[in-house]
Every structure is written in C-alpha cells, then in structure tokens.
Amino acid sequence: TFANNMTLLTAYFPIQSPTLIFCVVLLIILFAPIIMGKLRIPHIIGMVLAGVLIGEHGLNILTRDSSFELFGKVGLLYIMFLAGLEMDLESVKKNSRRFLFFGLLTCMIPLLLTYIMAMWLLDYSSTASFLLGCIMASNTLIAYPIISRYGLQRNSSVMLSVGSSMLSLFMALLMLAALAAAYGEDVGFGFWILFLLKFITFCAVSIWLIPKMTRYFLRRYSDAVMQFIFVLAVMFLSAACSEAVGVEGIVGAFIAGLILNRYIPHVSPLMNRIEFIGNALFIPYFLIGVGMLINLPQMVTHVDGLLFIFVFVLLALFTKALACFVAGRLFRLGREMEMMMAGLTSGHAAGALAMVMVGRRLMLPSGEPLVSDVLLNAVVMLILCSCLFSAFGTTHASKRIAKVGVSDEEKQGEEDKILVALHNPETMPNLVNLALMMRPHRSTAPLVGVKLVVDAADNERELEAARLLVKDAASVAASAGVNMKKVVRSGVNVITALTYTMKDFEASEILLGYHWHDGRVAASLGHQVDDLLLRVSRQVSIVHFTRTVNTLRCIHVVVPRDAELEVGFRRWLMHVSRLARQMDCRIMFYCTPSAWEQISEFCAQHYKTIRLSYVRFEQFNDFPTLARTVHDDHLLVLVSAREGSFSWQPEFQKIPATIASS
C-alpha cells in the first residue's frame, strides 16, 4: 500500500551516508539559484528555505550534523573575512567619524528601544530585556554575497554598513560577556582590564606580524595553491587567536581581511579563487545550516506566541531601519543608499542564535532559563524574516545603485583592449596581473596575449614554446575571471606582426616587459621598440619587474613638462590611478604645478579614495633626487612622449642608460 511504501521510504531518512549528504547539499547549491532566479527571488533566500525544507523540522532528509557545524562556522568566517578584504581602507580612514557614528547608531538605537519595549510591554526583567537588546543590536552580513555579485564592495553605503556591523557586533558581544560574567565569580574591574589588554595585544601582534609574513610569502612563492592555502591559514589563525582572547572568531577573521586587504588586489587571480571557494561552497553551506535551525511547525502550534513573534520581528527590522534613516539624513545620502544600509544591517543569523544559547545557559533564581522557549522561537523566526528582508532590500538597492554608480571616465574605458606582448615565462604572471589591474573593473573586453616568433626555416620548437607560454598566460587571466585571446604570430619582422595583431583585435594599447642584459635595459622586442613607437599610435607601457606587483607599497610617477597637453594624458593617469586603488598604496607625482592641477582635479572627480601627494619637479632628468626616495618595494613610473609631441624632451632617449646608472 501507499502508506507502507511511505514508511519504507522514510526509513532511509535522515540520510546518514557522508557521500549522499554532501551530494544533497551540492544539488541544493546548484538548483536553488536556478529556481530562485526564475522566481526573481534572491539566491540566498533559496538556500535558507532549502535548509528549512530538508532539515529535521521539515522533511527530515538531513540532520544538522557536525559537517554543518564545521562548514557553517567556516562560511560565517568567510563572510566577515571577505568583508574586510574588499573594503576601501582609504575611504574608511577619511570617513572614520561616520563609521563610528553609524556603528553607535545601529547598536544603541535597537538596544535602547528593545530594552524599553521589553520592560514596558512584555514585563520582562531588566536582565532578560538587556539580553534581548544585545540580540537586536548585533547583525550578520548575510546579504554580502549579493554585494559581491553587483561589484559594489567599495560603495560608501556598503562600507559604512560593514564597518558598523563589526562595531555593533563587537559592542553587543562585550555587553553579553558582561551579562554572562554577572552570573559568575569572575566579574570585576580586573576582569575587564585583562580582557582589554588581551584584545589590544592580539590586534597589535596581528598588525605587526601578518604583513611581514604576507610580504615574505608572496615574494618567494608564486604557486596559486600555496598562496590560497596561506591566506586561509592566516584567516583561521586570526579567528582562533580572537577566540582565545575571549572575542568571537568572526572579529579575528574581519581583522585578518583588513590587514590582507592591500596585498590581494580585487582583480587578482588570488582574489578570484578566494571569492569562488567561499561563494561556491562555504557560504551556501552556512545559509543552508541556518535554515535547518528554523522550526516552523512549533511556531504554528504555539498560537499564543505568534503575536509576540510578530512584534519581535517587526521591532528588530524597524530599529535597524530607523538607525539607517537617521544616518542617511545626517550624512545626506540618497534613498538607495539608505535602503542598502538597511538591507545589509538588518540580517540576523548565527550571532543572534549564539546569544540566545548563552541566555539558555543562564538560570534565574526560579530555576528557569533566562531565555524561554517562546523567545527562542522568536529569535529563530527573526533569522528567517531578517534574511528575507535583507536579501530583498539589498538586491533592490544594488540594482538601483549599480545603474548610476559608474563614473563616465570608467565607462569610456570599458571596451578598451590591452595587448600583452609575452616574452619571458618568468615575468609573464606579473605582466598579466598588471594588465588585469590596469583594465576597468567592469570591462567585458578580453585581454590579448601575443607571442611573436621570428620566422625561420626550422622554428617548430619555438612555435610550440610560444603556444605553451600564451596558454599559461591565458590560464593566469582566466583564474581572475578574465578572458584572454591567445595569439602566436610568426614573421620576418616582429614589429609588422605586432602591428597587424593590434589592428586585427582593435587593441587600444600594448603592454610589454624588459629585462637587464649586460648592465643595459633590453626590451622584449630588443632594439625595435623605437620602430614600434613610430608605427603604432597607441599607448605603449614597458615594464621591468623586480618583485610581485601586489607587494608594492608606493608609486612614484615622473611627469614631463607640458604632459597635460597630450592626447593620452588621461589614459595613463587612469591606469596609474587604478593601480593605486587596487594595491591601496600612495601615489607621489613629480611634475609641474600646471600638471598637478589637472591630475588632482581628475583624481578628485573619478578616483576620490586614492592617496595623492605632489613634489615640484621641473627637470625630468633629475634622477639622483628620485634615487633617494624610491625604495625596493616602490614602483617608479616614467611618463614620456614620442618625438615631435608637446612634452617630448631629448632626455627621453637617455632614460634606459640613466636608470641603469642611478
């Protein structure tokens, strides 16, 4: 009969086989976005709802075993780590007061209003009301993967939300620790002094040690897998040390992300791998695990608690939205910005649940737990509703902001194609990474990787080596999510072959490397560079690498007199500005006052967050002055022009020899 068949079927559930458990989770991660996309619902909601459906409170297909505990914890750490990794630190420094003020708003408004409402309407004790306020004050960046999908990680409202989330969570955890300590014997002034000393020591050691380890490792090891494992190890070590000093691991993961921020450019292959692994596995695992905690049948059966749950959820969303509205009016932000902040800061997940579990362990004099079953159900329902609101609100705001959030200068360069002339397999990864940083972030145009081979009677071996080099370069670009056209050209004249390649692919500029040979600078095209400059009316960038790009700490740009009159002035300035933004380093311009006026105006309009400084520099060949300020971990950029142009100077012909002797 049907009943017997169903009984036999349910005997197989919940699934116990690790292989089948992982298979079911992967199928959810695969099909939830497809189904939610057809329904025009944010993907993360599909993960949470799938967790509700398959969990022990739903169809009981899976139980929330240790794998969900492990991967869920990793997913939460990953969210906070990515939030720190993708922040614009220069913007944070410039708007530190805003970050602090908004963090206090998002923490104190929900805390105070919830405390008053719980005391007045619900007749809760002061201790229970304070615990409830701590839960409301904190939030989890559950919708942050949506931000990554729209490329808005450095939007001002996003960074305000990320910074305020960490501040409010940290304050809520401190207050919760005080509440828990009040029930023990270790409460007192000495306890808090020791706690602060441990936390300050942890931050100081992290800020001092992690950059040293990162620079050492990235300079010496270029293997993609090793770099990825190193970054993960730093994240988990920081989280573990944070927990050891008495603070949640997500705080340590966030701090590790902030410290590693400048060493992992946003468009680098390493960043692409970090985001891919997190968004493909760890974060969805966390979201499914959150859904498995929700017990909808129990909530429906307790009708008397439904009204309380409704008021509780409404109060949580209202207080966070109120804080965002107040901040938006004070900071003069638009409606889309306010909606973005409300969407990001309204999400509650594992942090709220952890606080409730602390309350369950605290016993009242009557022997009952401080947190009742009704309050536990209310918090679980808050997780579901806040996830829904956070996802919808963030998606709506992201779509609105993404339409108008790109500057005209960035849009002009979206279809530019950079042709990368490959020569040396050792410098190839750096050359491709530099091209990735120079291209517009939103560009859909592919890179063009070309290897030129001098035509000869028997050059099959060279052609095969050239194909392999171009293939490896395309792999480096693909690991950053960028397509590269693979071109191998053979001809008697390599300059002619390169010129035709640029015309065939409509390349807007060319990037090539040079190296030292017998004390001289030898470009990858040898002495034919002058011929290339005469025949190609495009920007040509010639680069010499002494270390990996992402370990550079400062950019020195030497600008000749009247360079601002050239047609390509904005193009090279745009590239240098993008490099500074990607590597989060300062730019020192050595130029005339008239050029500095144009440079500062351009950067203030299109690249507001980069750090600029200016040194008056009238003589282009004053290299001894530069030698005293340019260090090994700095990038020196010399801007020159073709003969006959406004800014051309005879000294340009002596640049290679001058650099070699400086």
Side-chain angles (χ1 to χ4, degrees), residues 31-32 45 59 62 68 172 195 198 237 265 272 323 334 336 407 463 480 533 566 641 646 651 656:
F31 287 107
I45 294 179
L59 299 179
L62 299 179
F68 286 96
F195 170 77
K198 289 191 295 184
L237 179 61
N272 184 266
E336 290 81 8
S407 68
L463 286 173
L533 295 176
E566 301 288 355
F646 291 107
E651 290 85 354

Side-chain angles (χ1 to χ4, degrees), residues 252-270:
F254 180 74
I255 291 174
L258 287 177
I259 297 173
L260 291 173
N261 184 291
R262 68 178 310 277
Y263 300 103
I264 307 177
H266 185 66
V267 296
S268 64
L270 179 57

Side-chain angles (χ1 to χ4, degrees), residues 98-167:
R98 285 191 173 191
F99 279 83
L100 180 61
F101 183 74
F102 184 47
L104 292 174
L105 280 181
T106 55
C107 178
M108 300 311 297
I109 288 181
L111 175 66
L112 294 176
L113 289 181
T114 303
Y115 182 82
I116 294 171
M117 296 292 286
M119 293 278 291
W120 179 45
L121 289 180
L122 304 177
D123 197 27
Y124 272 32
S125 65
S126 59
T127 305
S129 300
F130 186 73
L131 174 65
L132 204 58
C134 291
I135 295 172
M136 296 292 202
S138 67
N139 65 276
T140 303
L141 294 172
I142 197 100
Y144 193 80
I146 298 174
I147 298 299
S148 300
R149 193 177 305 121
Y150 285 92
L152 299 174
Q153 296 93 328
R154 297 196 171 189
N155 180 270
S156 58
S157 61
V158 173
M159 290 189 293
L160 277 174
S161 302
V162 172
S164 68
S165 297
M166 285 310 305
L167 182 60

Side-chain angles (χ1 to χ4, degrees), residues 51-61 294 297:
V52 176
L53 184 65
I54 68 169
E56 55 187 313
H57 305 302
L59 299 179
N60 197 29
I61 297 175
I294 299 172

Side-chain angles (χ1 to χ4, degrees), residues 113-114 117-118 136 310-320:
L113 289 181
T114 303
M117 296 292 286
M136 296 292 202
F310 175 77
V311 174
F312 182 81
V313 172
L314 190 64
L315 180 64
L317 299 178
F318 170 75
T319 52
K320 287 291 185 180

